[in-house]
Amino acid sequence: MNTKYADALKMILECLKECNTCFDACLKEDDVKMMAECIRLDRECADVCAFAAQAVTRNSPFTNKVLELCAEVCDRCAQACEKHEHDHCKRCAASCRQCAETCRQAVA
Amino acid sequence: MNTKYADALKMILECLKECNTCFDACLKEDDVKMMAECIRLDRECADVCAFAAQAVTRNSPFTNKVLELCAEVCDRCAQACEKHEHDHCKRCAASCRQCAETCRQAVA
Amino acid sequence: MNTKYADALKMILECLKECNTCFDACLKEDDVKMMAECIRLDRECADVCAFAAQAVTRNSPFTNKVLELCAEVCDRCAQACEKHEHDHCKRCAASCRQCAETCRQAVA
Amino acid sequence: MNTKYADALKMILECLKECNTCFDACLKEDDVKMMAECIRLDRECADVCAFAAQAVTRNSPFTNKVLELCAEVCDRCAQACEKHEHDHCKRCAASCRQCAETCRQAVA
């Protein structure tokens, strides 16, 4: 893979983990109703991160486009998680923000 | 792809659609808490169906193993959906049961 | 899922099948070297089709963006396959072209 | 996620990277024909690693089954890569062997 994507890959894998951890934890919360948007976006974000990790490592000709999509999904997931006080939401939001920024730096 | 998997592929794609439709609908229900197990298993099942569709069509050497795993996840998702009266849950459960059976026939 | 994506979903699943069939067949050709670009793009295209099928069916907020990406990858895969006379390449190229067009119509 | 899977996750992500790096490099080799089995199994292995990383991090009820499948695919990919002297094949084979072992330890 192109080494200019190394930081992005690292953050993408971290973000994948935090999004899925948040997805799992949200489903166990008492007020699942309140977490519905979070659950939906955690899955969206984990899935695009997994897709991006594959694209980056196989040297896909579409890597930049995938990273741009990934950054956009990360931002939306962060917005949803930032509305909650749960530790898993805060961690997820921070990871999403950092991932979005690192993806955009890699593409720039 | 091997034509002996044609029926399984058809059911897998149908099941993928029903599981994701149920996932989306569950997140919009009033009592999301009650649907938490359904939401979790809908994602599990949609994801293994997408993975199985790829394995079957690319003639993977691991197709039989993947179809066995798919059948097992389908059964578990059906069990969760059968506990609810929502139309999307009933449709999803029926599709999962049929997919599990068709996958096992293809492997046998 | 939104019924306006029904045609796109149908073509995406057909394209997924043709791309993976072509991937498998290319790897069995005598002159694999000549097929290298085809093999690479068949995987790219099958993977984005699988990703798009998931997005469409789970009613993803990012469906339009994913379909635009899918159409772009389809076009590139069609270009690679159209250089060859193999039946699997011709079938794949035709399916990619139709999928790209149907995705763009759904988004328009 | 369950911390007993932490080592497995780390190796799975490493293996995903090496398999896709090998896939990309094999497609650029002069004798692609000789690498056909490697290319096929690199994709199989990268895809099951991506699937396993998702399963582990979302605390899937099927994690152990997925890790067993992952270990089996890793072994087969290692066998294919060990037949070649290319540096990317050697690195990939070593990563696959270690990933298979770590997945089996996590399940045991």
Side-chain angles (χ1 to χ4, degrees):
Chain A
M1 53 168 276
N2 192 319
T3 53
K4 76 171 173 171
Y5 296 123
D7 288 346
L9 177 61
K10 194 178 159 190
M11 280 314 305
I12 285 165
L13 297 177
E14 185 63 25
C15 189
L16 164 65
K17 190 172 97 172
E18 293 300 341
C19 287
N20 274 333
T21 300
C22 189
F23 176 88
D24 174 45
C26 283
L27 286 172
K28 293 171 179 163
E29 292 290 345
D30 282 334
D31 195 350
V32 184
K33 177 76 181 164
M34 208 174 70
M35 313 310 292
E37 198 59 11
C38 229
I39 293 166
R40 182 186 296 274
L41 286 161
D42 283 339
R43 183 185 177 191
E44 292 291 328
C45 199
D47 286 7
V48 80
C49 283
F51 189 68
Q54 287 256 45
V56 167
T57 55
R58 77 175 170 240
N59 196 19
S60 165
F62 307 97
T63 300
N64 282 359
K65 301 253 172 171
V66 174
L67 293 187
E68 282 165 12
L69 177 63
C70 188
E72 191 180 333
V73 180
C74 281
D75 276 343
R76 194 86 74 86
C77 186
Q79 281 171 25
C81 284
E82 281 161 2
K83 292 178 186 161
H84 304 288
E85 292 301 313
H86 304 297
D87 187 55
H88 53 83
C89 287
K90 287 183 177 177
R91 288 174 56 96
C92 185
S95 189
C96 287
R97 291 292 184 198
Q98 215 180 329
C99 186
E101 192 187 335
T102 318
C103 286
R104 288 194 178 105
Q105 284 170 349
V107 170
Chain B
M1 53 168 279
N2 193 319
T3 54
K4 76 170 173 172
Y5 295 122
D7 288 346
L9 177 61
K10 196 179 158 189
M11 281 313 306
I12 284 165
L13 298 178
E14 185 63 27
C15 189
L16 165 64
K17 190 172 95 172
E18 293 299 340
C19 286
N20 274 334
T21 300
C22 190
F23 176 87
D24 175 45
C26 283
L27 285 173
K28 293 170 179 163
E29 291 289 346
D30 283 334
D31 194 350
V32 184
K33 177 76 181 164
M34 208 175 71
M35 313 311 292
E37 198 59 11
C38 228
I39 294 165
R40 181 186 296 276
L41 286 161
D42 283 339
R43 183 185 177 192
E44 292 289 329
C45 199
D47 284 8
V48 80
C49 282
F51 189 68
Q54 288 255 46
V56 167
T57 54
R58 77 174 171 242
N59 197 18
S60 164
F62 306 98
T63 300
N64 281 358
K65 301 254 172 170
V66 174
L67 293 187
E68 284 166 11
L69 177 62
C70 187
E72 191 180 331
V73 179
C74 282
D75 276 342
R76 195 84 75 88
C77 186
Q79 282 171 24
C81 285
E82 282 161 1
K83 290 177 187 161
H84 304 288
E85 292 301 313
H86 304 298
D87 187 55
H88 54 81
C89 287
K90 286 184 178 176
R91 287 173 59 94
C92 185
S95 188
C96 286
R97 291 293 184 197
Q98 215 180 329
C99 185
E101 193 188 334
T102 316
C103 285
R104 290 194 177 105
Q105 283 168 351
V107 170
Chain C
M1 52 168 280
N2 193 318
T3 53
K4 76 170 172 172
Y5 296 122
D7 288 345
L9 177 61
K10 196 179 158 190
M11 279 316 304
I12 285 164
L13 297 177
E14 185 63 26
C15 189
L16 165 65
K17 191 172 95 172
E18 293 300 340
C19 287
N20 274 333
T21 299
C22 190
F23 176 88
D24 174 45
C26 283
L27 285 172
K28 292 170 180 163
E29 291 290 344
D30 283 334
D31 194 351
V32 184
K33 177 75 180 164
M34 208 174 71
M35 314 310 293
E37 198 59 12
C38 228
I39 293 166
R40 182 186 295 275
L41 286 162
D42 283 338
R43 184 184 176 190
E44 292 290 328
C45 198
D47 285 5
V48 81
C49 283
F51 189 68
Q54 288 256 45
V56 167
T57 55
R58 76 176 171 241
N59 197 17
S60 164
F62 307 98
T63 300
N64 281 357
K65 301 253 173 172
V66 174
L67 293 188
E68 282 165 12
L69 176 63
C70 188
E72 191 180 332
V73 180
C74 282
D75 276 343
R76 194 85 73 87
C77 187
Q79 281 170 24
C81 284
E82 281 160 2
K83 291 179 188 161
H84 304 287
E85 291 301 313
H86 304 299
D87 187 55
H88 54 82
C89 287
K90 287 183 177 177
R91 288 173 58 94
C92 185
S95 189
C96 287
R97 291 293 183 197
Q98 215 180 330
C99 186
E101 192 188 334
T102 318
C103 285
R104 290 195 178 104
Q105 283 168 351
V107 170
Chain D
M1 54 168 277
N2 192 319
T3 54
K4 77 170 172 171
Y5 296 122
D7 288 346
L9 177 60
K10 195 179 159 190
M11 280 314 305
I12 285 164
L13 297 177
E14 185 62 27
C15 189
L16 165 65
K17 191 172 94 171
E18 293 299 341
C19 287
N20 274 333
T21 300
C22 189
F23 176 87
D24 174 44
C26 283
L27 285 172
K28 293 170 180 163
E29 291 290 344
D30 283 333
D31 194 352
V32 184
K33 178 76 182 163
M34 207 174 73
M35 313 310 291
E37 197 59 12
C38 228
I39 293 166
R40 181 185 296 276
L41 286 161
D42 283 338
R43 183 183 176 191
E44 292 291 327
C45 199
D47 285 6
V48 80
C49 282
F51 189 69
Q54 288 257 44
V56 166
T57 54
R58 78 175 170 240
N59 198 18
S60 164
F62 305 98
T63 301
N64 281 358
K65 301 254 171 170
V66 174
L67 293 187
E68 283 165 11
L69 176 62
C70 188
E72 192 180 330
V73 179
C74 282
D75 276 343
R76 195 85 73 86
C77 186
Q79 281 171 26
C81 285
E82 282 161 1
K83 291 178 187 160
H84 303 288
E85 292 301 313
H86 304 298
D87 187 55
H88 55 83
C89 287
K90 286 184 177 176
R91 286 173 58 95
C92 185
S95 189
C96 287
R97 291 293 184 198
Q98 215 180 328
C99 185
E101 191 187 335
T102 318
C103 285
R104 289 194 178 105
Q105 282 168 352
V107 171

